[in-house]
Amino acid sequence: MRTLCINLKTPQESSSAEAFLVLSPRVQFRFPQWIFVEIESTAHFFGGERGALEKALEIARKFSADVSAAIADTSAAAQMLSKWRPSHIAARGKEQESFRGLGLDALKDLEGLQPWPQKRPIEHMIAFFHTLGVHGLEDVVNFRLNSLRERWGDFGALLWNRLHSQDAQVISPLVPRDPLVGYGYFDDPLGSVPLLMARLKPHMDILFARLMGLSRYAQRMDVILHCEYSDKKYPLSIEPVSPTRDQELFADLLEKKMSQLTLENPIREFEISIFDVPEKIQQLDFFEPRDNTEDRWRRLISFAKQAQCEMGFLQVEASHFPEQSFRLVTDWPEDFKAHDLVERQDDALQIKSVYAKGLSASPRPALLLEKPQALSSAEVQRLRFVSSLPSERIESSWWQISVQDLKNRDYYFALSHQGQLLWVFKDRINSQVYLHGYFD
């Protein structure tokens, strides 16, 4: 079993282990700052053990600026090397060779998932070895099991087993249970948005690193700012147009919303909560760029939504009536394309043409009225129709004919008295003329 140990060097919550699930499902946290990952079957996904170690360090730096890691056959050796030989990868089956040159103080960190029951016995052991003239860890490896057991009992046997890769410590799969929340308290209250964002960023780094490890997307992020001199709170809710792990987008939206606040009362503490949803699965080509036009559009629409502006795409709909042939959507639009149905039976082909498939390619005005405007007789007299024959006809079935429905139309191009090209139609039931749009 190959074990990767990450030394975060500052006390962390146990939930920090979730961020390392991208390396392997077998991850375990040991208080106060140790992360153990079993990479025997997953290292090849990162180009080998060196790639897995570099990826672990990249994730770990979101929790602490000063971190280290190492890989060995056992958890105990990996922990010791992560502190005394950072970024070291012990040879498979020969981790004792990595002990050369280390002093006896390294024995204090030869622990793994199970720390030494007490530090005092190991300190006495180190002092005893010094009296024997043994100062290097490789010399302790040469002691026999019986010699250590006779002198220190079960503790001596445990030390020998760890030095000789005999202390099996199984890393179980991690089952996430902690909510995606963060909390911060300022010794000196802050009333500046840039300073607040700088203090919020480390907490967001951790939460989004956990999101990545959990393979989840953030649907919404709630931030509550608590004031110093009163019980007043500023609740802020950030929700992009679609779930994402784009931390930069959430940070930009949060900063935009915070800049609209008047922080006369400085902020003493804050809370962050992320509401997550399952990750969307998208099959991408190997050479396809991950930052594509769709992502940039979603980012723009998210900003517009926060500013309470209606924005999106006109999605073509399968409708004969122009005012119902599209709708505003925030998702990336899908083109509506009607195709003839071709049926093959034996040696015969039958083509069933889709009714009104050419409507999407027919001329449409740049400005389309949501509701057609009825024109008076005088207004119709002032129009100059381009042709006497309709350019387009829309009609419903005979059993659906109704005077109020306007479902039977003949469309014409007409010029107004100012010379503007109009799109009008005549209701074939009551002969009423309606204005429906303007051409550029």
Side-chain angles (χ1 to χ4, degrees), residues 279-414:
E279 182 180 37
K280 61 180 180 181
I281 305 301
Q282 183 181 12
Q283 182 66 41
L284 296 176
D285 184 79
F286 182 77
F287 296 101
E288 181 177 351
R290 296 319 191 237
D291 182 18
N292 53 30
T293 304
E294 179 179 351
D295 295 332
R296 292 191 289 271
W297 271 114
R298 291 183 184 278
R299 182 180 180 88
L300 180 60
I301 295 175
S302 298
F303 275 99
K305 180 181 178 182
Q306 181 167 282
Q308 298 180 348
C309 296
E310 192 173 10
M311 183 179 179
F313 305 93
L314 291 180
Q315 173 70 55
V316 177
E317 296 289 308
S319 175
H320 299 308
F321 301 98
E323 65 272 17
Q324 300 174 5
S325 62
F326 58 86
R327 63 187 176 94
L328 187 68
V329 297
T330 55
D331 292 332
W332 193 255
E334 297 179 2
D335 293 333
F336 171 76
K337 296 180 180 179
H339 299 280
D340 293 334
L341 177 63
V342 180
E343 291 185 350
R344 180 186 298 272
Q345 185 175 4
D346 297 330
D347 295 331
L349 288 176
Q350 183 180 11
I351 300 178
K352 297 181 178 179
S353 181
V354 176
Y355 176 69
K357 65 178 180 180
L359 283 177
S360 60
S362 61
R364 288 292 186 267
L367 176 60
L368 185 68
L369 299 181
E370 184 176 356
K371 184 178 180 181
Q373 177 183 340
L375 299 178
S376 64
S377 300
E379 290 174 326
V380 175
Q381 289 294 331
R382 289 197 295 267
L383 295 179
R384 184 161 59 91
F385 286 81
V386 176
S387 66
S388 59
L389 297 177
S391 62
E392 186 178 331
R393 171 170 287 182
I394 297 176
E395 59 182 0
S396 59
S397 303
W398 61 268
W399 61 85
Q400 294 178 330
I401 293 178
S402 174
V403 177
Q404 292 80 15
D405 288 342
L406 300 179
K407 291 184 177 179
N408 293 269
R409 311 173 183 178
D410 281 343
Y411 277 90
Y412 298 88
F413 299 108

Side-chain angles (χ1 to χ4, degrees), residues 1 3 17 20-21 24-29 36-38 75 113 169-177:
M1 182 181 71
T3 302
F20 298 90
L21 285 171
S24 170
R26 296 182 178 275
V27 180
Q28 190 163 337
F29 172 83
F36 297 91
V37 186
E38 193 275 300
S75 301
L113 302 179
Q169 299 180 8
V170 179
I171 302 176
S172 303
L174 176 64
V175 180
R177 294 187 177 88

